[in-house]
Amino acid sequence: MCTMAVLLLGSSAILLSAAGELRWAGVCLLGCFGLDGIDGALARRFGVSSPFGAQMDSLADLCGFGVATPLLAYHWLNGAAPRYAIVSTCAILAICAMIRLARFNVLPKEAQYFSGLPSAMPAVILGIAMQLDIEPAAGYAGLIGCLAILMITTFPYAKFGPLFTLRWWFWLISIPAVLTNPKAAFGLLTATYLTSGPALWVLKRSPRPAPAVTGSSPPAGRETAGASMPQTFAQLPEPHARIAIIGAGFGGLGMAIRLKQLGIDDFVVLERGDDVGGAWRANVYPGAACDVPSNLYSYSFAPDPGWTRTFPLQPEIQRYLRRCAAEVGLERHLRFGHEMLAAEWHDDSAHWRIVTSKGCLTADVLVVAAGPLSETATPYLPGLQRFAGTAFHSAAWSPSYDIHGKHVAVIGTGASAVQFIPEIQPEVSRLYVFQRTPPWVIPRWDRSKTVLERGLFRKLPSVQRLARTGVYLWRESLILGLTFDQRMLKPVEWLARRHLRRQVDDPELRAALTPDYRLGCKRIILSSDYFPAITQPNAELVTSEIREVGEHSIVSADGTERRVDTIIFGTGFESANMPVARRLRGRDGRLLADAWGKGAEAYLGSSIAGYPNLFLLLGPNTVSGQNSSLLTMEAQIEYAVDAIRFMGGADIAAVEVRAEVQAAFVSDVQRKMAGTVWSSGCTNWYLDAHGRNTTLWPGFTRAFRQRTRRFDHENYVVRVRSSQPLDRGSPERAL
């Protein structure tokens, strides 16, 4: 709809300007720009692509810059506006064009697209002409108008280099046509411009034989999960990067920052969203905050003395990540709106071929930092499809949604739900909290940090490091009860029970909120306002299972029907299943989801046999159950960086962990997992469908950091770049 409206408004602006109706043409131009922005925002939000493609999407460039500049020239010729106003407007147009260049220049540096520069040129030429006091003449206006139309319609999003390699007959036809009959040339160019998008859309979807590109297509009969490799991409030279990083959350940005700090500059960060932050970009529900103190929930190599609270809120965490990215100059490496649809290892050329929502690229090394909280988990509720109200997961919360006065049902009582329930309870008319299992809740000792405290951290960084160490040691001590002797958790259980007794007076409600499993088996919740919110008159805790969802209600298993306007799922994420596995194919085209058919496993949570040059961040069995997972994630980052430096220093084409090494590591982890509190009988998000804990690290974070302090290449099959692809039946060539 937005694209068609842009088409109509843009065409109207062109016709109105030709007829001399400058005011209405200006109104159409403003609408064209606005709808183009809305169109792009909706496309990024819902992952929808227009069949008209980039040609139609950039119609705002045609109308905004191709029409606006001749309009300004018209005012200049007729003295209809002051010079300063025209020059200022020219400057604004040029700046807008260059902002679009910086904002949408999203491909790797080997194939940069200079879409903003052609758009800026007509306005720049006009502004310079006025500043040089060149006598206005109709020829200048015609030249500027033709230049704008030619550069924006004929060559949208084209590199300068290929422009000069076009066939001679193209220049022989197009230039005289524009000079002799601008109106006819303009009509032809506009028609080509508007029809090229649908034509390309049809061609891309028409069946055709696979191109003869070695290793570019999967074997016959093999289905690509998530997305197939588009054949049309294989016909064009694909941009290449030494390292491709998937995700711009804490993991992806941390990896990128360390590469920059070490002088490694040939990498890209592919992010499906429109900003950095990962889970902290997506989760904007009321009260979103971290359960780890701010002094510990930050990079060790990028401390921040300016945290305003003990437990940081979502906006402050995202601002921290933006600042970290800006300080090292990551802007030109970030590729927003690039969702990884599929990636496949090509053994003959020793690189990964990555398909994104905006095209393909290749990379020598692939670092997957999608994170365990990237894909939401939504339970099946009978009848949900006929619910007439609004239903959404907390990770898809829209700040513009008005919840005031509504009857709201919250499904789940996990960490996210416990944070937003106290925030929405005063706003809603009725609040129904559907609880399957009560969580262990301990007080959240949060406070605002004083100006003196922040100033001290800024002046004496060693004091903040000492505070960070204290928080680390306190949280690390929990591992003794979680893994070695569960009796050591008794003091924390006593604290949680006392917290419940002090905040909930009703014996029946208190009994419903009392867990019947060992503390730590499920995630421990920190909150000081959840219990008070549940006890309010407009709130009701429902422990009966949901039988079905009606058009305007939810019916529980006991037969009670409750009127509901809004359903909010606070049911967590697909942490144990790692949906990214359905998009990765290794050597011989094996899908990672198939390789993980019996459960996710990786050596040190980072490397997988059969998937060379692949490094996971927060992969299987790396999340800390007692401490900040940034600690284990940083250890993996240093491990991957050390591997990359090793490969570069020895001219290594590929490294792949040995299958027997991986199997021994996984066996050792699962042996240590037996007897821990996480395996004591409750249902938690750490366990996969087979009942194996493939999420947590069963020990001290220090032990994990020691295991990953250097890249142990002796446990890998190492292939020198000059050698041929390894024959798996012959002895490997290793260093």
Side-chain angles (χ1 to χ4, degrees), residues 4 31 87 109 137 146 277 394 409 435 449 461 518 521 560 612 628 638-640 652 670 697 699:
M4 295 306 298
V87 173
K109 62 181 183 180
C146 292
S394 61
Q435 172 188 277
K449 295 197 174 189
R518 200 48 108 162
C521 186
T560 304
S628 171
E638 296 301 328
Y639 184 79
I652 302 299
Q670 292 304 318
W697 169 252

Side-chain angles (χ1 to χ4, degrees), residues 475-492:
R475 295 183 69 96
E476 192 76 349
S477 64
L478 291 175
I479 195 65
L480 298 174
L482 295 172
T483 60
F484 296 106
D485 190 344
Q486 297 177 21
R487 292 174 298 180
M488 301 180 70
L489 296 172
K490 290 288 186 180
V492 187

